[in-house]
Each structure stands twice: as structure tokens, then as C-alpha cells.
Amino acid sequence: MTRRGLFLFIALGIAWGIPYLFIKVAVSELDPGMVVLARSGLAAILLLPLALFRHEVGPVLRRWKPMLAYTLVEIVLPWYFLSSAEQTLPSSTAGLLLAAVPLAGVGIAFLMGRPERLSGTNWLGIAVGMLGVAALVGLDVAGSDLFAVAQMSVVVVGYALGPAILARWMPDLPGIGIVAVSLAGAAIAYLPFVLVTEGVPTAWPSTPVIVSVIVLAVICSALAFLLMVGLIAEIGPVKATTITYVNPAVAIIAGVVVLGERVTVWTVVGFVLVLAGSYLVTKKVRGVAAPPTVINGSEASSDAAAGRRS
């Protein structure tokens, strides 16, 4: 890996590992819908001018039906349920549960009629990953948090389904245009929702909450996507997928150091099993195609979310 590639890798690992920490801070005072509105709206304001300058908005809008579906499953629903779940779940647990996205990707491919040829290693990965999730949910998460875990399952499925929609119906569309339009669409959708549900704060949020929302929009959304494009261009989509195994570690460290969240034995066991399962389920065996690898909602093994995004 080049020095530039290493810098991009570290920067992206941090940018995609810290959202859970800042979401936890933001929802301490703001309604989850308001967090999504502020995050998506500000990120869209930053990315839309770039997408318009590159003439990438028009082609995306012309394929509005799959774009609408992608926006719904990749941002509108997952971001809300993630923010809502973190009202009770530790940020480190939320980040770790999302490491199961590659496991869900296998099931999504099967349901969409495009099942991957799985080797024995891939099947072992599914089993190991599920054991990790079971260790987290059954032994590390309190009973009162099970509803939050159910919300996290929606996030996992959404993050796995989004790249599948990209790969099947929008493989030729430019990535920056897709993200800019989807962020803008999410903000537009949440504006009336927040107004109707009275999610607008009645008092000015504290400085930590304001900073958290800005970081979520600028660093964890807009900048992170540009870092991903640069990283894939620098080291290729296959090596870039290893970022999947860095993000949960960053989430756990950030939660412990900044918020004082506890780390139990089962947190560590679940961490190891989920990441090992994700690695094995995406491992390519000679003569057998590995299932698509998803990195933070982007399918790095497809042209739609890899090379063509640059």
C-alpha cells in the first residue's frame, strides 16, 4: 500500500468508525428524525454542487424509480432506526452489529434470485458470524434493549439491500451523483416528517450536540464518501473492503474512551466472531466466486460502487 493509500485507509476507518459515537451524543437531545434531517441536509448541500459540476445529477434523476428505492433502504430507514436504536444501545454495540452486513448480503442475493456460489469456507463464515451476533444479542445486550436490536436489524438489511439495488439497476450511474441525490431526497422526505412529529427542538441544542451533527454530515457522510472513492482508486476495491474490519474496532474504542461504555467478555467474543464470519463469508476460494463484499453500505466488488464511482 502506498503512503497515500495508507493515509486514505486510516482516514476512512476513522470517518466510518466514529458515527456511532456522534449519533449517541446527538440523540441525547435531538429527535432521531431531526438528526437524520440535519445530517442528510447538510451533507447534500456539500455534495450537490460537486455532483452538478460533474453533470452527474441528471443521469441519476432519469432513473428515479430504483434511485427512490435505494434512498429508502440505504438512508431514509437505516439512518432513522440507527439513531433511534442508539437512544438505548451503546454506540460500540451498534457499530459492532453493523459488521454483520456482509452476512445479510448473502441472504439478499438469494432472495433477489442471484444466489452466489458459496464454498464450505463461506458457509462456515455465515455460521461463525451468526454465533457472534447471538453472543452479542443473547449474552451482552440487556433484555430492555431487544427492541433496539430489532431496529438495528432493519439497518443491517437496508445496508445490504442498497448495494444490491445499485448493482442490479444502476451499475452505470456515477457514484457522487447517486449519493448527492439520495442525501437530498432523504432530507426532503424528513422535513415534513420532522415538522408533523414535532421533532424540531424547542431549545437550542448544546454545543456537543451541534458539533456531533456537523461531524456526522461533513466528516462521516460527505467527506467519507470522497475518501472511499479515493481509496478505491488508490488500492482497488478488493483491498478497500478490509475497512469493514476496522470500523467496528474504532466504534468500540471511541465508545469506551469518550463515553465510558463498558466492554464485557461477550463484547470481545462477539467482536471476534462477527468479524471472522464476515471475513470468511466474503473470502474467495479458487474456482468459486465469493459473495459481494459490502463496505459501509457500498458494494466494493461491483463497478457501481467501486471503480466507476471515481
Side-chain angles (χ1 to χ4, degrees):
M1 187 181 293
T2 64
R3 183 175 298 179
R4 180 174 184 270
L6 181 60
F7 170 79
L8 291 171
F9 186 89
I10 294 173
L12 186 59
I14 295 173
W16 274 347
I18 61 174
Y20 317 102
L21 163 66
F22 288 102
I23 289 173
K24 187 72 174 179
V25 174
V27 297
S28 65
E29 297 181 20
L30 297 178
D31 179 81
M34 186 64 209
V35 174
V36 178
L37 172 60
R39 178 184 180 183
S40 58
L42 181 54
I45 290 173
L46 295 174
L47 285 180
L48 269 177
L50 177 60
L52 288 169
F53 177 77
R54 292 164 59 111
H55 305 287
E56 295 184 1
V57 174
V60 172
L61 291 177
R62 282 193 287 272
R63 215 167 303 174
W64 66 272
K65 289 183 179 179
M67 191 63 219
L68 181 62
Y70 172 80
T71 302
L72 181 66
V73 303
E74 185 74 12
I75 298 179
V76 173
L77 293 178
W79 283 14
Y80 179 83
F81 283 113
L82 176 57
S83 299
S84 179
E86 286 209 43
Q87 289 180 312
T88 54
L89 276 184
S91 64
S92 54
T93 302
L96 184 50
L97 287 173
L98 284 184
V101 169
L103 304 177
V106 176
I108 294 296
F110 179 81
L111 292 175
M112 293 183 68
R114 302 171 59 197
E116 300 290 333
R117 292 176 56 199
L118 299 180
S119 67
T121 301
N122 299 146
W123 282 111
L124 176 62
I126 293 175
V128 171
M130 294 304 293
L131 282 175
V133 173
L136 285 170
V137 174
L139 301 170
D140 192 43
V141 175
S144 59
D145 294 338
L146 292 182
F147 179 69
V149 172
Q151 292 178 308
M152 289 301 303
S153 69
V154 176
V155 182
V156 170
V157 172
Y159 279 172
L161 184 56
I165 293 174
L166 280 182
R168 185 162 186 172
W169 288 289
M170 301 183 290
D172 56 324
L173 294 183
I176 293 179
I178 289 175
V179 173
V181 171
S182 62
L183 287 168
I188 292 172
Y190 268 97
L191 180 58
F193 174 79
V194 170
L195 293 176
V196 170
T197 59
E198 298 182 349
V200 179
T202 55
W204 190 255
S206 64
T207 299
V209 170
I210 295 174
V211 170
S212 294
V213 172
I214 293 174
V215 170
L216 285 169
V218 177
I219 296 179
C220 304
S221 300
L223 178 60
F225 178 78
L226 297 178
L227 289 172
M228 185 195 73
V229 171
L231 181 64
I232 291 175
E234 184 71 20
I235 69 175
V238 176
K239 290 182 180 179
T241 61
T242 57
I243 202 75
T244 304
Y245 312 114
V246 176
N247 301 339
V250 174
I252 291 174
I253 293 171
V256 171
V257 173
V258 179
L259 299 179
E261 294 177 347
R262 66 186 180 92
V263 174
T264 68
V265 172
W266 294 112
T267 302
V268 177
V269 171
F271 174 78
V272 173
L273 290 178
V274 170
L275 294 194
S278 295
Y279 170 76
L280 293 174
V281 83
T282 56
K283 183 176 177 60
K284 185 176 182 179
V285 180
R286 184 174 300 177
V288 179
T293 300
V294 179
I295 52 175
N296 204 65
S298 298
E299 189 175 350
S301 60
S302 71
D303 289 340
R308 290 188 187 175
R309 284 197 168 182
S310 61

